[in-house]
Structure formats: structure tokens, C-alpha cells
Amino acid sequence: MQKFAMKPPGDKNPEERGENEITPSAQAAQRSRAEEELRQSEEKYRTILESIEDGYYETNLRGDLTFFNKGLCRMLDFSEDELRGMNNRDYQTPEEAAEMYRFFNRVYRTGIPVPSFDWNVVQKDGSPLTTEGSIHLVKNARGEAVGFRGILRDVTKRRRVELALGESEARFRSLVELSSDWFWEQDAKFRFVRLEGRQVIADGSVSGQNLLGKRRWEIGLEIDESGGWERHRALLREHLPFRDQIMHRTLPDGEKRYISVSGEPIFDERGRFKGYRGVGRDITEQKRAQERIKFLATHDSLTGLPNRLMFGEFLTPAIELARRHGRTLAALFIDLDRFKVINDTLGHAAGDKLLKEIAGRLRSMVRASDIVARMGGDEFVVLVQEAAPHQVAVLARKILSAIARPIEILGQGYRVTASIGICIHPTDAGDERSLMNGADAAMYLAKGEGRDNFQFYSEGIRTQTSERLSFETGLRNALENNEFLLHYQPKLDLKSGSVTGLEALLRWQHPEFGLIPPEQFIPLAEESGLIIPIGRWALRAACRQNMAWQNEGLPPMRMAVNLSMRQLSAEYLSQEIDDTLQEAGMPPELLELELTEGVMIHNPERTFRILSEIRKMGVRLAIDDFGIGYSSLGQLKHLPVDTLKVDRSFIHGIPDNCKDMAIMKAIITMAKALNLTVIAEGVETKGQEQFLREHNCDEIQGYLFSKPVSSEEISLMLRQGRPRFLERRAGEVI
Ligand code: C2E
Ligand code: MG
Ligand code: MG
């Protein structure tokens, strides 16, 4: 059904061939032969032209189509009739047609064909097509240009793929650049054939160029992997992919640069191994950061010593090693005594300085193979390998004296002591847990033995430890179970000899262990925050008791209540005190709060404000245990206080210790100058009382006059109207 006009593609007709005429019949025969040949050749061309997908065209010099194949119809989507006589302007945009005109013109002028160029055409419905076209000049027998011919090939799809490829290549490149520093390719013999990127190895001494032709293990790189290069090569031989293999290069100055390399095998379309390609990254900075993070996580930032976590990591293999070689391993648990006092009175910066100094001293006392770690707070552990108990004892003694050497803080020398607990593997403990628990328990024993000493773990300690644990749980329930009570200790006016007031002192009536003195549970209560509700209870109970006595007809008494630093940092303290007083119906003047020197350190402005508020209410304030908290009298004048309660340790040495007496005299004189009342606590002897009276101390408190006693005993004492001297009974607790 093809009806399109087909002119012979040849440029000659029989007449033009100028053949000689012979006879008419011969001529006719000749013509018909020629016609047959022509028909056959035309047939051949037509078959060829119709069997190709591409479009074939012939135009005259104006560009009007004079001949074309079916391929062209299909391509442009016009029927043969429509297409016939069409000009290229009819299937091109005006711009493209103008462009085409220039091509035709060039071919016409030069006679040189254009073998391939992008020829953008438009289909019947307006859809654009990209074709690759050729232009040849068509000449007649006389050699005159009569038109053009050529092929048009639809390359729209191919161009689209090429574009997409180009885009994906660009995308790939930017990905490589974002996620890595360089891209590499190796041949089947693992030699670099391509290296591109920002930097190949960050020091700059290795560039992509001088690595070409070399293998990765021939360029001064070390592989940071178990099995090393051997394993890496085995992997390559298996044509396996690899991810993030870390390698490094040591620079001449000793610095290490780390790189991370990933690669995958390349195969050709027939599955033959061609080599590898992959990416690389300089991860030196990252690696440094990781190391730093690991160091921070495993070391104490203040002292630089390994922390609890790191210590645990040391301990397990150390025990394992000791076990295997049948050696001993000693853990010394070191806890500073009264560190809290320094921290509270001199401030955290001073506390930090002290800890750093102690850490340094500990480190310098042990062998490099021994371990010193800071477990937190003021706790340190020393782990000593291969040491007999007597050697460990020598070391413990040395540590105690090293710690006790004065430490200079804020221009002054301070002394701290420590308590050490020692536990030895394998004699006392088989595993790390029992080793540490044993050392900890022994340390508590050392504390109980009066601090500044060391104790070895023993079987007996174990029971004490479990007692301590149940003790801690018990404290949480003590308030609810109503296990607290107050004892009262009178204060005596030295001039009149009469009782001026009472101090309420907390006791814990433990269901199992009996009456427990505050020093054994207050530190724990402070640590856990329990001191706040406990202190609140003590204040209320003391005020109520005081008013109960008055209601019984006894003379009004001043009631002193101890206040923990933690309570002072609680919100609404002054409000709470006010409420308590109102509730009990007690005049504020009858209440005295005893605070330790430490109150001045933390947030002095806020403390000052709270204390002033309390004092404005009429409540009296006293500084308790004065003299041991490292504060000076000078600091005192800034505090809104009424009374100075000198610590009993200064009273102890009177009247034998000249130094103590001199200090006491000075404190009294200066306190007087500041208009403060001075009271001495812990007065146990007549001699002490005598001395204090002579030096104008205002009041005394101590066993000489009375121990802290129950409320019943106090009411008895007050009822009798005279001080009741208690004899000290031997072995009595409290
Ligand atoms: P503190 O306030 O300095 O109390 C004086 C301590 O010295 C009392 O110990 C008392 O029994 C003891 N003492 C009194 N006279 C003598 C003496 O002549 N010789 C000796 N050797 N000691 C004497 P206690 O009752 O064991 O209290 C110890 C500490 O517990 C108190 O020291 C105080 O800081 C604290 N504390 C007691 N009750 C409370 C409380 O309700 N709240 C708070 N936050 N702390 C309290
Ligand atoms: Mg007190
Ligand atoms: Mg005291």
C-alpha cells in the first residue's frame, strides 16, 4: 500500500548517458534492459531505504522535500502526502530552521558534507525530537548543485540517557566529594590507575599522580587491622568488597595521619574481574576527637587519673593476670578525712586544688605498673601488683604521711588526713567485686578507728558492711517510723552559773542497733538530702518541747537547734521557721540556730540575705564548731550572727596546751571586739571551766555540767531549779 513517489536516486537518465543509437529494435531491447536494470536498482535502493529505521531525505536547494522514505514519515509522524513538498521550516522551530539554513549553505558553498550534527525537529503534534542528521550535496550530471540529501536518526532517547548519565556522574562525584576525600580505581593487579579528589593523604606529600601504578601496600601506609596487609590482600584476591578499613601513615615528625578506605570489586559485562574502585577519607581529626572523648570518658577531668570506669577495665585483666601467675594484688581504698569541711569552707576551687595535689602525690608514690584511680569525690584507689602484706602496709603508711604533708591553698598551708582500707587478692578476695568491697569495708573500719590510719580487710568486717547497708535503707524509713528523738544539752552562763538555754541534739533510735549518735547518720542524711525533712522535724520537735516545758510552768528557755548547710540552701527556709514558731507559739527570741562556718562560702549573697531575714524575725544565730572550718574572724564580721561557739578541740588542750590556750584567748578577745557572745563547747573539766571564766568566756557547755539527756531528765533538772552534774559513767556511749 505504499504509494509515495519514488524518483530514481541516481542522478542520471538514459538520455543523459548519451548512448549511441543503433537499430530501433536493438535500441528498444537495449532500453528495456536498461529500464529493467534501473527498476532493479531502484527496487534495491527502495528495499534498503524502507528497511532502515532512520529517515532518508532529499530536498531541492530551497529545502523542499523531493524524496524521502517511510522512516522519515514515522519519525515526524506525518503521512507521505502531508510530508511531500514540505520545507524543513515546516518541521522545525524557526530558530532551528535558521540554524539549518546555515548548515545547508555551508555544504552548498564548500561541497563538503556534514556527516553528523544535532538536528532538532518537531513532530506533527509539536513534540520535539532530537535527531542526528547528515547533509550531502546533490549534483546533477553537469556537476551543478541541485539539492541535498542525508539521513536523520532519532537520538532523543539516547540523548536523554546520556543526560541522565551525565547527571548521575555529577551526582556521584559530588557524593564522593561530600562523603570522602578522594576516589580511586585499581586494575586487576591492584595497581592504582586513577586517583582523584581533594587530597590523597592529607600531609600533601603524596599526591594522586605519584601513586599511580603502585599498590596500596607499596606507598608507606600501615594498615590498622588485625592480620595487617596479608589479610587485606587475601580479601582482594577473593574479590570481596571492604568497608572503612583504617590505615595510617607516619609523617617524618612522628605525627600519624589516619585514613579510612572502602572499596568494591569491578567486573566487566561478562563477569570478569577488572579491578577495584572505592573512596578514601582522611579521618585523622575524627580519630583524635574519638581518642579525646574516650580519654574524657575514662579519666577524671580534674586529676587526669583513670576514673571508676577505666579502673574497672584495668582491674579485670589485672586479677586475671595475678590469678594465672599466682601473684598477689592489693587494692588500697583511700578516702580523705573531713574533705567536705575544706570544700565547704574554702570553696570548690580550693577543694579541687587539694584533690589535684593529692592525686599527684599518690601517683608519685607507686610504680608505673601500679594503678592510681579516682573513684569520685575524695575517694582514690591504688592497685599494687605483687606485694606482700607487710610491703603494702609500708606503702599505706607512706601514703598517709604524704597526704598529711601541708598543702598550700590561698597562700596558707592546710593539712588533710586519709583513711585507707586494704584488701588483698587472693587471700581476702577472689574476684574484683569482693576485692573492692573488701577494701571499701576496711576503709570504713579505718574511719571508725579515728581516721588517719589504715586497716586490712578481715572476716569480721564483712558483717559490719552488711550492717552499714541495712543502716542506709533504715535511715530512709526512720522519719516515717518515728525513730528520731531529741536529747537536750544545757548551756550554762559562767557568771551566774544558771542554765541559759538548751541545745537540741538529734538521736536515732534504731530498732536493731539501738540509740545512734548523729555523727553516724547525719553525713549520710546530708548526702541523700534526707537532712531537709529530718532537720524540719528536729526544729518542730524542739520548739514544741520548749513550749511544753513552759506550759508546765518552767521558766522560758532559749532553745538551740542545729541547722545543716543543706537546709540553708532549701527554698523558703525563713518562711518555714516562721511557720514553725507560730505553730508552737514560741517567741522568736527563744530560738537560736547553730550553723557551721561553711555557710559563708556558697553563694554568700544569698546566704547573707536568708540569714538576715531570719535574724530580722528575732531569731538568734550562732556559728557552731568555730575554729576548725578554716574561716577567719575577719570574715565573721560580715555575717549577721550573735554567738560564736568555739569547737571543743580547742577546749580539749586546756589547761596543758599553751597553743590551744593562746588561740582560745585570742578568739575570745576578738569575738568581744565584734560584739559576739562566746560559748565554749565540750567543757569536761574544772580546769577548763576555770580558764574560760578567767578569760571572760560567756557561756559553757559540756559533760562537766551535763551530757545531752532526754526531755524527761531536762524537765527534772529544771524543776529542781539547779544544775544537775552528771557523773561520766565508764563505757557510756554518747
Ligand atoms: P554540735 O552541734 O557541735 O554538738 C555538740 C556535740 O558535742 C554533741 O554531739 C555533744 O554530745 C558533744 N558534746 C557536748 N559536750 C561534750 C563534752 O564535754 N565532751 C565531748 N567529747 N563531747 C561533747 P552529738 O550529740 O553527737 O552531735 C554531734 C553533731 O551532730 C552536732 O555537733 C551537730 O553538728 C550534729 N547534730 C546534732 N543534732 C543535729 C540536728 O538536729 N541537725 C543537724 N543538722 N545536725 C545535728
Ligand atoms: Mg551544735
Ligand atoms: Mg559544736
Side-chain angles (χ1 to χ4, degrees):
M1 294 281 283
Q2 303 168 11
K3 319 185 266 173
F4 63 89
M6 206 49 164
K7 275 202 327 186
D11 51 357
K12 292 173 182 165
N13 56 39
E15 294 85 57
E16 282 166 344
R17 285 188 215 122
E19 289 161 5
N20 298 326
E21 280 182 30
I22 312 159
T23 59
S25 65
Q27 215 173 23
Q30 213 174 23
R31 190 178 295 134
S32 86
R33 214 181 311 118
E35 273 171 6
E36 176 57 22
E37 273 173 17
L38 191 66
R39 200 191 54 75
Q40 275 186 14
S41 127
E42 185 185 312
E43 184 75 29
K44 197 162 78 191
Y45 277 116
R46 188 197 299 225
T47 313
I48 292 170
L49 279 179
E50 291 317 312
S51 67
I52 61 168
E53 274 294 306
D54 300 339
Y56 175 82
Y57 73 90
E58 285 182 12
T59 66
N60 57 22
L61 287 177
R62 284 194 307 275
D64 305 324
L65 279 172
T66 50
F67 177 79
F68 50 88
N69 70 349
K70 263 205 306 184
L72 192 71
C73 297
R74 271 197 305 272
M75 196 182 291
L76 298 175
D77 206 22
F78 285 107
S79 69
E80 291 156 24
D81 289 340
E82 286 171 325
L83 208 53
R84 197 169 305 117
M86 257 195 189
N87 189 275
N88 65 300
R89 280 192 301 272
D90 301 325
Y91 52 88
Q92 281 198 299
T93 60
E95 302 80 49
E96 290 291 339
E99 185 73 17
M100 279 296 295
Y101 178 75
R102 276 194 286 279
F103 275 111
F104 282 130
N105 207 14
R106 200 172 83 201
V107 175
Y108 175 77
R109 275 190 291 107
T110 62
I112 301 167
V114 177
S116 167
F117 71 103
D118 270 11
W119 188 340
N120 295 315
V121 296
V122 189
Q123 286 181 317
K124 187 177 173 182
D125 67 355
S127 336
L129 279 189
T130 307
T131 68
E132 221 170 60
S134 60
I135 308 175
H136 297 258
L137 196 62
V138 182
K139 290 181 184 162
N140 64 14
R142 291 182 293 277
E144 297 159 347
V146 289
F148 305 97
R149 74 157 77 93
I151 295 277
L152 279 177
R153 174 171 295 164
D154 184 355
V155 292
T156 315
K157 267 198 204 117
R158 201 174 84 200
R159 284 290 137 84
R160 215 175 280 148
V161 171
E162 279 170 5
L163 193 74
L165 264 175
E167 274 174 9
S168 88
E169 164 88 7
R171 205 176 305 138
F172 167 72
R173 274 179 181 283
S174 71
L175 261 181
V176 166
E177 269 161 28
L178 280 177
S179 64
S180 57
D181 292 337
W182 62 91
F183 170 82
W184 54 267
E185 268 178 26
Q186 288 168 341
D187 62 13
K189 294 241 159 35
F190 316 122
R191 291 174 299 219
F192 284 115
V193 288
R194 195 174 157 195
L195 267 150
E196 276 175 26
R198 275 197 292 260
Q199 37 187 189
V200 173
I201 289 182
D203 72 340
S205 70
V206 181
S207 78
Q209 284 316 305
N210 54 32
L211 297 186
L212 291 184
K214 292 194 181 128
R215 295 174 178 90
R216 188 164 280 120
W217 46 89
E218 296 168 347
I219 55 175
L221 273 180
E222 299 287 331
I223 187 160
D224 296 27
E225 196 204 42
S226 60
W229 286 120
E230 208 33 68
R231 202 169 140 195
H232 182 78
R233 277 197 289 262
L235 188 138
L236 297 185
R237 279 196 296 269
E238 299 272 328
H239 305 160
L240 293 171
F242 58 92
R243 286 258 151 267
D244 301 323
Q245 290 208 337
I246 313 294
M247 300 167 194
H248 73 265
R249 189 180 158 78
T250 310
L251 305 188
D253 63 357
E255 195 207 353
K256 277 184 180 174
R257 300 298 307 190
Y258 288 88
I259 63 171
S260 165
V261 182
S262 298
E264 56 180 31
I266 325 169
F267 300 98
D268 66 12
E269 54 292 341
R270 297 171 71 185
R272 280 176 309 217
F273 175 68
K274 275 178 63 191
Y276 267 90
R277 74 170 145 238
V279 290
R281 207 144 46 96
D282 187 314
I283 52 155
T284 312
E285 296 317 314
Q286 191 183 327
K287 188 124 179 130
R288 297 243 162 90
Q290 268 171 6
E291 274 163 11
R292 181 93 197 114
I293 287 166
K294 172 132 200 253
F295 184 85
L296 288 178
T298 52
H299 285 76
D300 166 44
S301 59
L302 177 69
T303 60
L305 291 179
N307 63 12
R308 185 183 287 274
L309 191 87
M310 190 73 183
F311 180 74
E313 279 181 26
F314 282 137
L315 188 56
T316 315
I319 289 222
E320 188 48 49
L321 213 70
R323 192 179 292 142
R324 209 176 311 142
H325 298 289
R327 291 186 195 147
T328 57
L329 192 69
L332 286 82
F333 207 106
I334 304 165
D335 191 288
L336 302 186
D337 303 324
R338 299 169 55 80
F339 171 70
K340 210 172 154 301
V341 180
I342 294 221
N343 215 29
D344 287 349
T345 53
L346 297 179
H348 286 310
D352 285 357
K353 179 154 189 238
L354 185 132
L355 289 171
K356 260 163 108 167
E357 176 64 34
I358 301 271
R361 289 184 189 180
L362 288 177
R363 189 63 264 181
S364 68
M365 305 206 51
V366 299
R367 291 168 294 188
S369 58
D370 297 333
I371 290 155
V372 180
R374 181 176 172 212
M375 304 302 266
D378 56 352
E379 293 172 0
F380 296 88
V381 171
V382 172
L383 196 67
V384 194
Q385 328 225 16
E386 281 186 277
H390 70 273
Q391 292 170 309
V392 181
V394 170
L395 175 65
R397 215 165 281 131
K398 278 200 326 212
I399 290 178
L400 286 178
S401 58
I403 290 177
R405 278 203 326 264
I407 294 173
E408 201 187 283
I409 298 169
L410 307 168
Q412 254 188 293
Y414 292 93
R415 257 176 224 280
V416 278
T417 56
S419 303
I420 304 178
I422 304 165
C423 191
I424 295 178
H425 165 89
T427 10
D428 304 328
D431 58 60
E432 49 257 62
R433 241 186 86 150
S434 41
L435 184 71
M436 292 320 291
N437 287 344
D440 188 47
M443 187 275 291
Y444 271 91
L445 184 68
K447 291 253 180 222
E449 291 292 312
R451 305 184 165 105
D452 195 15
N453 73 104
F454 64 90
Q455 296 290 329
F456 278 93
Y457 176 81
S458 69
E459 265 308 302
I461 298 178
R462 197 199 304 269
T463 37
Q464 287 182 18
T465 313
S466 67
E467 275 174 9
R468 201 178 73 238
L469 285 176
S470 75
F471 183 82
E472 287 178 17
T473 6
L475 186 63
R476 295 185 188 280
N477 304 321
L479 254 188
E480 244 172 76
N481 297 345
N482 227 347
E483 289 167 6
F484 289 115
L485 61 132
L486 291 175
H487 275 183
Y488 302 89
Q489 190 179 30
K491 294 176 185 175
L492 215 67
D493 184 276
L494 267 176
K495 285 199 189 81
S496 65
S498 60
V499 174
T500 55
L502 300 161
E503 178 180 5
L505 293 158
L506 199 57
R507 301 291 179 264
W508 177 15
Q509 184 65 57
H510 193 282
E512 234 180 289
F513 310 132
L515 204 61
I516 301 174
E519 254 143 16
Q520 283 181 29
F521 65 86
I522 290 220
L524 198 66
E526 285 186 327
E527 249 172 58
S528 60
L530 278 169
I531 192 67
I532 292 180
I534 295 174
R536 195 179 291 142
W537 177 87
L539 179 68
R540 248 164 118 206
C543 293
R544 277 197 192 151
Q545 181 60 64
N546 200 23
M547 292 323 286
W549 281 322
Q550 271 194 46
N551 293 339
E552 280 175 29
L554 291 170
M557 283 287 148
R558 217 164 54 220
M559 177 62 79
V561 178
N562 291 284
L563 210 63
S564 147
M565 299 245 305
R566 287 287 299 257
Q567 283 171 278
L568 207 68
S569 59
E571 280 300 312
Y572 313 122
L573 177 67
S574 50
Q575 186 62 49
E576 216 176 276
I577 293 169
D578 194 28
D579 290 350
T580 310
L581 287 170
Q582 300 248 350
E583 188 194 290
M586 186 166 115
E589 300 73 39
L590 291 187
L591 180 64
E592 183 165 59
L593 296 174
E594 295 190 3
L595 314 149
T596 51
E597 291 166 85
V599 295
M600 291 181 270
I601 293 303
H602 300 296
N603 205 339
E605 293 84 30
R606 186 167 178 269
T607 309
F608 185 85
R609 180 171 51 76
I610 294 173
L611 292 183
S612 306
E613 262 171 40
I614 295 173
R615 199 153 172 254
K616 231 176 265 160
M617 283 158 41
V619 175
R620 291 171 61 91
L621 295 175
I623 293 291
D624 203 352
D625 304 335
F626 181 78
I628 57 163
Y630 308 107
S631 60
S632 68
L633 274 169
Q635 287 175 285
L636 270 185
K637 63 174 180 247
H638 304 298
L639 267 188
V641 293
D642 310 271
T643 308
L644 213 60
K645 219 175 159 186
V646 185
D647 190 71
R648 61 173 177 267
S649 57
F650 295 101
I651 314 300
H652 195 75
I654 299 172
D656 305 318
N657 188 320
C658 307
K659 218 167 155 192
D660 279 354
M661 288 192 286
I663 291 172
M664 199 59 215
K665 269 196 269 182
I667 291 176
I668 296 172
T669 317
M670 291 187 79
K672 293 276 157 182
L674 290 168
N675 240 342
L676 299 171
T677 306
V678 186
I679 169 165
E681 63 173 26
V683 178
E684 294 182 358
T685 65
K686 273 274 167 207
Q688 291 163 349
E689 188 205 327
Q690 183 81 26
F691 174 87
L692 293 164
R693 196 193 305 275
E694 276 168 18
H695 291 93
N696 281 327
C697 182
D698 299 302
E699 297 176 23
I700 56 162
Q701 186 185 25
Y703 292 170
L704 174 68
F705 176 55
S706 169
K707 285 194 147 195
V709 291
S710 70
S711 58
E712 291 81 19
E713 283 181 87
I714 290 286
S715 79
L716 211 78
M717 185 194 301
L718 296 175
R719 225 175 284 277
Q720 286 170 351
R722 60 173 186 84
R724 197 172 83 105
F725 284 83
L726 291 181
E727 291 303 315
R728 277 188 88 177
R729 274 163 285 165
E732 196 182 57
V733 208
I734 302 158

